[in-house]
Amino acid sequence: MIYNEEFETLPREALEALQLKRLQQVVQRIYHTVGFYKKTFDKAGVKPEDLKTLDDLRRFPFTTKQDLRDNYPFGLFAAPMSSVVRLHASSGTTGRSTVVGYTKRDIDTWSELMARCFVAAGLTKNDIIHNAYGYGLFTGGLGAHYGAERLGASVIPMSGGNTKRQIMILQDFGPTAICCTPSYALNLAEQGRAMGVDMSTLKLRVGIFGAEPWSEAMRQEIESALDIQAMNIYGLSEIMGPGVAMECTEGREGMHIFEDHFLVETIDPETGTVLPPGETGELVFTTLTKEAFPLVRYRTRDISRLYPAPCRCGRTHLRMDRVMGRSDDMLIIRGVNVFPSQIEAVLVGIEGLEPHYQLIVDRVGTLDTLEVQVEVTETRFANADEIKVLQSLERQILKDMKDYLGITAKVKLVGPQSLQRWEGKASRVLDKRHI
């Protein structure tokens, strides 16, 4: 099934002509409305008029996550705030979040893209969709919600957490599809079994999972535990949210990128050289239709590859492989993106801690865990009232990480000089997961 047959099955020649027209329009607009782009284009010696073919895009400079942070909160908006109807933001300490805005038309576009995803997963208006992605500043919950409503399906806005109640709703309301992170799907299955619930008897038949890396083995585990078809979805807040790319039930070999709205490149992350389709590299996206927050050549840091071969489903858009890793040090913990530098910013703001820490990421059962090991200052560590002091420090670290970053971690306070020192670049992250 295809939601928008006209655009999702465009012949490549017509699709590329549409991309070029939209690309020229967006580059022209941001050059004259966003100071950052005028400055960077001028510095690179390019003008909007230089964009005569799609290949000319590689002459234009990249946009990075740091550029977004440097222009916090609204410096990259190409529309006035009077036209912005919604704001979303990534987790981060004050001044470090990535803020994205949406006009009414952007929301409408996003809703259609998510409807396309649901249809690609075999859903119709007759389905009931249990949405366990987080609502709020995170894009997942509302993105899926509006897409389900656009499709005409019934949506249950559960959000994340409250697992026992989620299982009760899954039993009582009889949803036929579920949206959440893959690790939370396994957690639901595990908790359900602990409650004596036979999860295979639920009416669920499809799961749409994203927001964190997961493997083919994990897909098989989810499908076995819940007796469903597990589908992979891709998105990122900076580009739109969920709905940038989606697997189809016919192929299930790579996710279709909706190229009428996003132009994708893969590059060598070290040199920035554009790679041909089929080679593994870093994904770079340019938005073609976003009004409030358009981006040109945004470096996602996600490592993947593109499939140029046509799919049996009839969609003509390129497909991308599942994300294989990152070209930077970003962590994804239960669907929340966080950088070690953000955790560091929390730690250095707390009196009594040394600027030496280690992050240990693991997977316990079905859920990712994060342990923060940090050194305590000599003065605090030698305090006569040591236990109370350390407990107070732990509570403050936990609270600040939850408040600023939206993540829950285990904290382990260690003595001065007990963590490894590094002569070169510090290796802050020890990732024990086998994804």
Side-chain angles (χ1 to χ4, degrees):
M1 297 187 295
I2 298 176
Y3 182 80
N4 189 330
E5 192 144 353
E6 177 186 358
F7 285 97
E8 292 183 69
T9 63
L10 272 176
R12 290 301 304 181
E13 185 177 346
L15 177 59
E16 290 172 5
L18 177 66
Q19 286 181 318
L20 180 59
K21 178 182 177 181
R22 289 179 169 178
L23 179 62
Q24 290 170 330
Q25 290 172 342
V26 75
V27 168
Q28 189 74 238
R29 185 163 65 90
I30 63 173
Y31 184 77
H32 295 291
T33 59
V34 182
F36 165 80
Y37 279 115
K38 185 178 190 310
K39 180 179 177 181
T40 56
F41 287 4
D42 288 348
K43 185 177 179 180
V46 291
K47 300 283 186 185
E49 295 75 27
D50 296 330
L51 197 62
K52 295 181 172 62
T53 69
L54 291 177
D55 285 341
D56 290 334
L57 181 61
R58 65 186 64 191
R59 298 173 53 194
F60 285 72
F62 295 112
T63 307
T64 67
K65 187 91 167 184
Q66 190 59 48
D67 294 328
L68 273 58
R69 291 188 180 130
D70 290 344
N71 288 276
Y72 173 92
F74 309 136
L76 291 183
F77 283 19
M81 288 304 295
S82 59
S83 298
V84 175
V85 300
R86 191 192 301 169
L87 295 169
H88 282 285
S90 67
S91 60
T93 54
T94 302
R96 293 173 179 261
S97 297
T98 298
V99 181
V100 294
Y102 301 80
T103 64
K104 188 175 184 301
R105 184 179 175 188
D106 290 334
I107 295 294
D108 189 62
T109 299
W110 190 11
S111 301
E112 181 189 314
L113 293 177
M114 279 304 303
R116 290 186 189 184
C117 293
F118 287 133
V119 170
L123 303 184
T124 71
K125 66 180 181 179
N126 297 317
D127 282 289
I128 302 174
I129 300 174
H130 182 102
N131 186 15
Y133 282 124
Y135 282 66
L137 288 177
F138 174 59
T139 55
L142 285 169
H145 184 110
Y146 274 61
E149 290 188 344
R150 170 64 70 88
L151 180 61
S154 303
V155 58
I156 305 170
M158 275 301 304
S159 194
N162 209 344
T163 303
K164 289 184 178 179
R165 186 158 190 245
Q166 298 241 16
I167 293 168
M168 181 187 75
I169 294 295
L170 288 169
Q171 290 178 286
D172 295 347
F173 289 14
T176 51
I178 185 169
C179 302
C180 63
T181 63
S183 59
Y184 191 63
L186 285 176
N187 187 42
L188 282 169
E190 189 177 76
Q191 291 294 318
R193 287 194 298 270
M195 294 166 59
V197 178
D198 183 353
M199 300 297 281
S200 66
T201 64
L202 300 176
K203 292 184 179 179
L204 289 176
R205 60 184 180 85
V206 175
I208 297 174
F209 306 117
E212 66 184 15
W214 59 308
S215 64
E216 194 62 31
M218 194 171 183
R219 189 209 296 264
Q220 293 170 7
E221 191 175 347
I222 291 171
E223 291 185 334
S224 175
L226 295 175
D227 192 22
I228 61 173
Q229 186 176 47
M231 307 290 291
N232 204 355
I233 189 171
Y234 175 79
L236 61 167
S237 298
E238 302 94 308
I239 299 302
M240 177 66 79
V244 174
M246 180 69 199
E247 278 186 321
C248 63
T249 55
E250 294 90 341
R252 285 227 298 178
E253 186 180 355
M255 294 166 278
H256 292 277
I257 299 167
F258 298 118
E259 290 188 274
D260 51 327
H261 293 277
F262 310 106
L263 198 154
V264 62
E265 306 167 87
T266 44
I267 65 168
D268 182 318
E270 298 297 327
T271 66
T273 304
V274 177
L275 302 173
E279 290 195 22
T280 299
E282 179 185 336
L283 295 174
V284 173
F285 280 96
T286 297
T287 64
L288 299 177
T289 56
K290 283 185 71 176
E291 293 183 332
F293 191 66
L295 290 175
V296 169
R297 303 199 80 197
Y298 179 70
R299 294 190 60 165
T300 67
R301 300 294 183 178
D302 287 333
I303 302 298
S304 183
R305 59 177 174 158
L306 303 177
Y307 294 126
C311 179
R312 67 173 68 95
C313 72
R315 293 174 179 83
T316 54
H317 298 182
L318 288 174
R319 287 172 288 163
M320 59 173 277
D321 202 351
R322 66 174 66 245
V323 173
M324 305 168 189
R326 299 277 304 175
S327 63
D328 62 6
D329 57 354
M330 188 182 81
L331 301 173
I332 303 177
I333 307 297
R334 301 192 192 183
V336 178
N337 299 348
V338 62
F339 287 86
S341 58
Q342 292 174 299
I343 296 174
E344 180 177 304
V346 170
L347 298 177
V348 299
I350 299 175
E351 187 178 352
L353 299 178
E354 295 283 3
H356 302 291
Y357 64 93
Q358 179 83 55
L359 308 178
I360 300 175
V361 185
D362 205 348
R363 178 161 287 159
V364 177
T366 60
L367 294 178
D368 293 338
T369 63
L370 172 64
E371 178 178 290
V372 179
Q373 297 183 357
V374 59
E375 290 183 10
V376 181
T377 61
E378 188 75 49
T379 304
R380 284 290 180 97
F381 202 71
N383 193 298
D385 199 16
E386 179 185 324
I387 294 178
K388 287 185 177 179
V389 169
L390 297 183
Q391 288 177 338
S392 177
L393 270 177
E394 285 184 3
R395 287 194 296 268
Q396 186 174 354
I397 295 169
L398 289 170
K399 182 179 184 302
D400 286 358
M401 289 184 63
K402 184 68 175 177
D403 289 348
Y404 287 122
L405 305 178
I407 61 173
T408 301
K410 178 182 177 182
V411 174
K412 183 178 180 181
L413 301 178
V414 299
Q417 300 295 320
S418 59
L419 293 179
Q420 184 175 349
R421 300 299 193 263
W422 304 89
E423 293 181 3
K425 182 180 178 182
S427 181
R428 299 291 194 188
V429 180
L430 175 60
D431 195 337
K432 295 182 175 180
R433 293 174 296 183
H434 300 287
I435 297 171

